[in-house]
Amino acid sequence: MFNQQLRLREASGMNKQAKTGASKLAVWFQLLPLKNCSFNQGVLLATGIHSNKDTTQIKKIKRPKLAVPQINCDVKAGKIINPEFVVKCPAGCQDPKYHVYGTDIYASYSSVCGAAIHSGVLDNSGGKILVRKVAGQSGYKGSYSNGVQSLSLPRWRESFIVSESKPQKGVTYPSALTYSSTKSPPAKTGEATKAYQKPPVPGTTAQPVTLMQVTGAPATEATHTSLPKPSPSTGSTTSSLRPQPVGHRSWELDRWSPSSPASSQNSGRASPGIQSQDSPRAAFQKPARAQVTCGEMDLWQPGSVLLDAGFVPKEELSTQSLDSVSQGDANCKVDLSFLIDGSSSIGKRRFRIQKQFLADIAQALDIGPGGPLMGVVQYGDNPAAQFNLRTHMNSRDLKAAIEKITQRGGLSNAGRAISYVTKNFFSKANGNRGGAPNVAVVIVDGWPTDKVEEASRFARESGINIFFITVEGATENEKQYMAEPNFSNKAVCRTNGFYSLSVQSWFSLHKIVQPLLKRVCDTDRLACSKTCWNSADIGFLIDGSSSVGTSNFRTVLQFVANITKAFEISETDTRIGAVQYTYEQRLEFGFEDYTTSSDVLSAISRVGYWSGGTSTGTAINYALEQLFKKSKPNKRKLMILITDGRSYDDVRIPAMVAHHKGVITYAIGVAWAAQDELEVIATHPAEDHAFFVDEFDSLYRIVPRVIQNICTEFNSQPRN
C-alpha cells in the first residue's frame, strides 16, 4: 500500500511539471513577434523543424489533397506558366468578350476556356480539359466553330492546344497552377496556389518540410532561410536538396512524371523556373515570385537564382523564335498516315531502312498546322498507333519520334491495320482536320498475311485515299502462299499505277520518296480519288418536257454519260439510277439494275425522249420514293437534276424534304431555267451546287466543275 501511494505521488508531480512546461511554452509563443522573426531562436515556427533543445513536437502541416484547379472564363493560357495541366472551366465561356485567336492551335493570348469551346472539346456548360503548351506560330487563322468566332493573329510567342481531360497512365498533373504574376485570377488574396513537398534528406535531423507559396502578401515581407545541411558522411550534394513540384516535366523523356532528387541530380537539368549553375540551359517556365510571411517561408536554393515574374531569359526566347516556326507547306495540306510493316519476317535491318524512309519523308515534307500532318501506325499481328496527326507539328520533332519506333514482330496483317486506321485514326481527337484529304500509305514486305480488299474498300468509302507500296514482292513460286492474289490492285481505287508502287529491293526504297510525295501532295487529283468515286448512289432527274426537243435531249443524255464515266461502277462501289419527268414521272432504271460501267452507259443511251410539261417538284418526290428509298445506308445520296425551264408546281417543300433526308442535290439549269428556283432546289451553299448554261451545247463545259465539286464536298466532311 505504501509503494502504491508513492507511485501515485510521483505521477502527479510529473503531470504538474509537464503542464507547467507546456504553459510556459505557450506564453513564450505568444510573446514571440511574428512579423520580425529571429531565426536564432530555439524554435522555427510553422516549418515542422524542431530544436534539439526542445522535445515538444510541432505537428507537421498535412499536404493538401490533389484536385483539379478551376479557372475563370477570362484566364489566358499565357498567364499560366505550367507547360501542361488539367483545369476545370465554368459555364458561360461562349461569350464573345472572351477572345480566342487561331483554330486548333491557339495563341496563348486566348481565353483557355473559350478555345476549348471553339475546338469542340467543351460546350457552354463547362467541364474539365487538358491543355498543352506548344511553340509559337508565325500566324493564326480565325474561324467560326461551335458558337465561338476566333480571331486571326499575325504571330505570337507561344501557343497551346486543348483536348479532353483523359489523364494518361503514370502522368501527374499539377493540383494548383503557377501564374506569371502574383495576382492569380482564380485564387483569392492569401490563398495558397502551389504546394511543394520536400523529400527527406538522408543524414539530417530535420523533419520533412511542407512549403506553401502564398500570393497577396507585400513583396517587402519576403524572407528566405537556408535549409539544414546534410551530414558529410552521406555524400549528398546540394543539388539533392532541390525540391521539384509534383508533376514536374521531364524534358528528356518528353512526358510527365513525378520527380525525385535522384532524377533531378542525374539529369543535370534545373527545376522549372530555376537557372542552375550546373546547367547552361534556361528553363522553359518561370514561377511566380514567392511572397511570404514568417509563417509560410519561401525556399532559397543554393546555386540557383529565382527569376522575377515577367522576366524572360534570352535562352527561352530563342527556343520560341517565331522566325523558325513553320505553318507547313500549304500546297500539300493532307492528313497522312503511314502503315509500316513491323512483322518478324522483315528483319531488323530492313525495319531500320523502313524507318529511314519515313525520316526522309518527314524531312522532305514541310510539316505544320497549315500544311501536311503525319502519323504512323505499325502493324504485325495487331496494329498500334505510334503517334497521331496532332502529336508532332514540325518535321524535326517528327523525325525524332520516328527514330524511337521499335519493331513489334508477328505476322503481316495489313488488312487488320487498314480497318484499324479507318475506325480509329482519322478522328477529330487524333487531329483530323476535315478539310484536308485523308491519305493512308501502306508499306508491305512481300505480301500481307491477311486479305486487304474488303478493308480497303471500306476505308475508301470512309473517305481515305489508299496508297500501297509493295517491297520485294512475291515471286511466281511464292504466289501460292499469298492469302489474296493481286492484293495491291484490289486495295487501291484504280489499276493505273497512281495509287500503287512496287519496289524491287528495300535498298531501293529511298528512290520513291519524291515520286510518292508528288502523288500524295497532288490534292486536286486526290479530291477525285476513289474516296469520292466509289461511295455514292447517284440519281439523275432528267427533264423530258416538250421545250427540250429530241436533239437537245440526246445532248442531255451525253452530259449524264460523261459524269457517269468518271465514277467506279459496281455493286459495292458507285451505283447509278435515272428518272425522266414531264407532268408524269418514269423510272428509267434503278440503282440495283446495272452493276458495270458499260451496262449503265448502254442503259443511258437507250432512254427515250418522252415530251410533255414540267412538274419538277413532283419529280423530286417521286425520285425520293422510287429511287433513293433503295439507297444503301453507307452510301452518299446524290441527286443531279437537269431542267430547261421553270416548274409548273412548287419545288420548295420537295427540295426541303430531299435535304432533310440527306440527299445532296445539284441543280443544272439550261436556257430558260429560273435561277431562283435552281438555288432553292440545290443543297446549300447554292454557289457550289447550282449551275447554269445558256444553251444545251455548253453542258459539256461544266462536267469537270460538277465532278470536282462533288468530290471536294465529299472530302470536306470530317471522318470520325
Side-chain angles (χ1 to χ4, degrees):
M1 177 66 69
F2 177 78
N3 292 335
Q4 185 176 3
Q5 291 177 353
L6 182 61
R7 283 195 296 269
L8 289 174
R9 291 177 182 177
E10 290 176 352
S12 176
M14 292 174 64
N15 288 336
K16 290 180 180 179
Q17 290 177 1
K19 290 179 180 179
T20 303
S23 300
K24 290 180 179 180
L25 183 62
V27 172
W28 187 81
F29 269 106
Q30 293 174 1
L31 295 177
L32 188 66
L34 293 180
K35 288 190 176 180
N36 299 307
C37 299
S38 174
F39 292 101
N40 295 323
Q41 302 295 334
V43 178
L44 297 180
L45 295 182
T47 63
I49 302 176
H50 66 86
S51 171
N52 292 331
K53 297 179 180 180
D54 196 333
T55 59
T56 303
Q57 296 289 336
I58 300 176
K59 189 175 182 180
K60 181 176 61 176
I61 300 174
K62 293 184 179 179
R63 180 179 174 179
K65 189 175 182 179
L66 293 179
V68 176
Q70 181 166 339
I71 60 174
N72 297 328
C73 296
D74 60 349
V75 173
K76 300 173 182 177
K79 291 292 185 181
I80 301 173
I81 291 176
N82 307 78
E84 190 169 6
F85 51 89
V86 173
V87 292
K88 184 177 181 181
C89 291
C93 295
Q94 203 174 30
D95 196 304
K97 68 182 180 181
Y98 305 123
H99 294 167
V100 177
Y101 299 87
T103 301
D104 294 331
I105 298 180
Y106 302 96
S108 62
Y109 195 63
S110 306
S111 159
V112 173
C113 299
I117 296 175
H118 183 271
S119 66
V121 175
L122 286 184
D123 56 24
N124 200 35
S125 61
K128 297 178 183 178
I129 56 172
L130 173 62
V131 180
R132 181 165 63 90
K133 298 286 189 71
V134 294
Q137 307 292 313
S138 58
Y140 300 84
K141 186 177 180 180
S143 64
Y144 182 81
S145 179
N146 301 307
V148 175
Q149 176 65 58
S150 69
L151 307 175
S152 297
L153 194 67
R155 65 175 187 172
W156 197 250
R157 63 180 179 270
E158 184 184 55
S159 311
F160 68 98
I161 57 178
V162 185
S163 58
E164 296 179 359
S165 61
K166 294 182 179 179
Q168 301 179 14
K169 187 176 181 181
V171 178
T172 304
Y173 299 101
S175 60
L177 303 176
T178 304
Y179 290 85
S180 59
S181 68
T182 58
K183 296 181 180 180
S184 306
K188 298 178 182 179
T189 302
E191 285 185 352
T193 61
K194 188 87 172 183
Y196 296 86
Q197 178 68 48
K198 181 188 178 301
V201 180
T204 66
T205 60
Q207 300 294 324
V209 183
T210 300
L211 299 170
M212 303 295 290
Q213 177 180 321
V214 177
T215 62
T220 56
E221 296 179 9
T223 310
H224 302 291
T225 184
S226 58
L227 290 176
K229 296 182 180 180
S231 170
S233 61
T234 62
S236 301
T237 63
T238 56
S239 63
S240 66
L241 289 170
R242 300 176 185 175
Q244 297 191 7
V246 175
H248 166 61
R249 177 85 177 190
S250 174
W251 296 103
E252 290 195 314
L253 296 179
D254 195 28
R255 64 182 177 85
W256 284 92
S257 62
S259 61
S260 64
S263 63
S264 175
Q265 185 177 356
N266 296 337
S267 65
R269 295 177 185 267
S271 303
I274 299 176
Q275 287 184 335
S276 170
Q277 293 180 350
D278 301 327
S279 174
R281 300 190 182 187
F284 281 79
Q285 64 174 9
K286 308 184 300 297
R289 165 181 276 180
Q291 297 181 347
V292 296
T293 62
C294 172
E296 297 91 6
M297 296 177 299
D298 189 23
L299 175 65
W300 175 80
Q301 300 186 28
S304 64
V305 179
L306 292 176
L307 303 180
D308 289 336
F311 173 74
V312 183
K314 293 182 179 179
E315 293 87 347
E316 180 178 335
L317 291 176
S318 66
T319 61
Q320 298 182 357
S321 175
L322 296 173
D323 297 334
S324 62
V325 176
S326 173
Q327 284 290 99
D329 183 3
N331 295 320
C332 184
K333 188 175 180 179
V334 296
D335 289 341
L336 180 60
S337 171
F338 272 87
L339 284 67
I340 62 173
D341 193 337
S343 60
S344 301
S345 63
I346 193 174
K348 293 183 179 180
R349 184 180 183 185
R350 287 181 290 184
F351 188 76
R352 286 196 299 269
I353 294 174
Q354 187 175 208
K355 286 171 54 176
Q356 183 58 51
F357 173 71
L358 292 184
D360 293 342
I361 293 287
Q363 181 66 37
L365 287 172
D366 184 7
I367 299 293
L373 296 179
M374 179 175 159
V376 173
V377 172
Q378 183 185 173
Y379 66 92
D381 291 334
N382 295 296
Q386 303 295 311
F387 46 84
N388 62 37
L389 295 169
R390 69 188 307 168
T391 307
H392 304 292
M393 289 291 173
N394 59 70
S395 297
R396 181 192 60 193
D397 293 345
L398 185 59
K399 287 177 64 179
I402 291 169
E403 179 60 31
K404 297 176 182 178
I405 296 175
T406 57
Q407 187 176 358
R408 292 177 63 83
L411 299 175
S412 184
N413 291 330
R416 187 175 295 177
I418 295 171
S419 296
Y420 170 83
V421 167
T422 304
K423 296 176 182 178
N424 302 292
F425 189 84
F426 290 107
S427 65
K428 185 176 181 180
N430 287 334
N432 180 39
R433 294 170 288 184
N438 296 158
V439 178
V441 180
V442 186
I443 305 176
V444 179
D445 175 42
W447 62 89
T449 52
D450 63 349
K451 294 184 178 181
V452 300
E453 181 178 14
E454 184 66 21
S456 298
R457 182 186 63 80
F458 184 68
R460 296 195 307 269
E461 289 183 356
S462 300
I464 302 172
N465 297 268
I466 299 289
F467 283 79
F468 246 79
I469 300 175
T470 306
V471 187
E472 297 181 5
T475 63
E476 288 298 324
N477 293 332
E478 292 173 331
K479 288 182 179 179
Q480 59 180 317
Y481 304 111
M482 297 171 62
E484 188 175 36
N486 201 24
F487 65 88
S488 181
N489 287 338
K490 293 178 180 179
V492 299
C493 67
R494 295 184 177 181
T495 58
N496 59 5
F498 183 82
Y499 295 97
S500 59
L501 297 94
S502 181
V503 183
Q504 297 300 317
S505 169
W506 280 97
F507 300 103
S508 302
L509 187 60
H510 66 278
K511 296 180 181 179
I512 68 165
V513 170
Q514 291 303 325
L516 175 64
L517 292 184
K518 186 176 180 181
R519 302 179 194 194
V520 167
C521 294
D522 188 356
T523 53
D524 290 336
R525 192 163 181 179
L526 286 179
C528 279
S529 68
K530 198 170 182 180
T531 60
C532 152
W533 299 109
N534 78 334
S535 58
D537 282 341
I538 304 176
F540 290 93
L541 268 67
I542 305 168
D543 186 349
S545 62
S546 302
S547 59
V548 175
T550 304
S551 177
N552 288 335
F553 188 78
R554 305 315 301 177
T555 303
V556 171
L557 293 182
Q558 187 58 54
F559 171 78
V560 172
N562 288 340
I563 292 180
T564 300
K565 289 176 183 177
F567 292 86
E568 296 287 331
I569 309 298
S570 77
E571 185 178 357
T572 57
D573 295 325
T574 294
R575 303 186 304 172
I576 305 293
V579 170
Q580 184 182 179
Y581 72 95
T582 58
Y583 283 131
E584 301 178 292
Q585 307 81 35
R586 182 170 69 195
L587 179 65
E588 300 294 351
F589 54 90
F591 293 137
E592 298 176 350
D593 293 344
Y594 304 103
T595 58
T596 67
S597 181
S598 59
D599 289 345
V600 171
L601 294 174
S602 296
I604 293 171
S605 67
R606 293 194 300 268
V607 174
Y609 177 49
W610 204 357
S611 186
T614 309
S615 295
T616 306
T618 305
I620 294 173
N621 284 332
Y622 179 87
L624 293 176
E625 287 297 319
Q626 301 299 320
L627 188 60
F628 287 99
K629 202 168 186 179
K630 297 181 180 180
S631 181
K632 291 185 177 181
N634 65 332
K635 297 289 187 181
R636 286 188 308 148
K637 302 173 182 65
L638 302 179
M639 180 165 60
I640 302 177
L641 184 148
I642 308 106
T643 184
D644 77 329
R646 184 178 290 276
S647 176
Y648 293 166
D649 60 359
D650 181 63
V651 300
R652 290 174 297 178
I653 294 178
M656 190 182 302
V657 172
H659 301 163
H660 180 72
K661 291 186 175 183
V663 177
I664 302 169
T665 307
Y666 290 83
I668 314 298
V670 187
W672 300 281
Q675 184 69 34
D676 60 331
E677 200 170 75
L678 295 176
E679 293 178 356
V680 170
I681 295 171
T683 297
H684 180 79
E687 58 266 23
D688 295 333
H689 298 86
F691 300 84
F692 179 83
V693 294
D694 293 328
E695 54 186 4
F696 286 94
D697 289 340
S698 298
L699 278 172
Y700 77 94
R701 298 179 185 275
I702 66 172
V703 170
R705 287 177 54 203
V706 173
I707 294 172
Q708 181 67 30
N709 283 18
I710 288 173
C711 293
T712 302
E713 182 273 334
F714 173 75
N715 282 287
S716 68
Q717 302 303 311
R719 316 281 179 249
N720 292 324

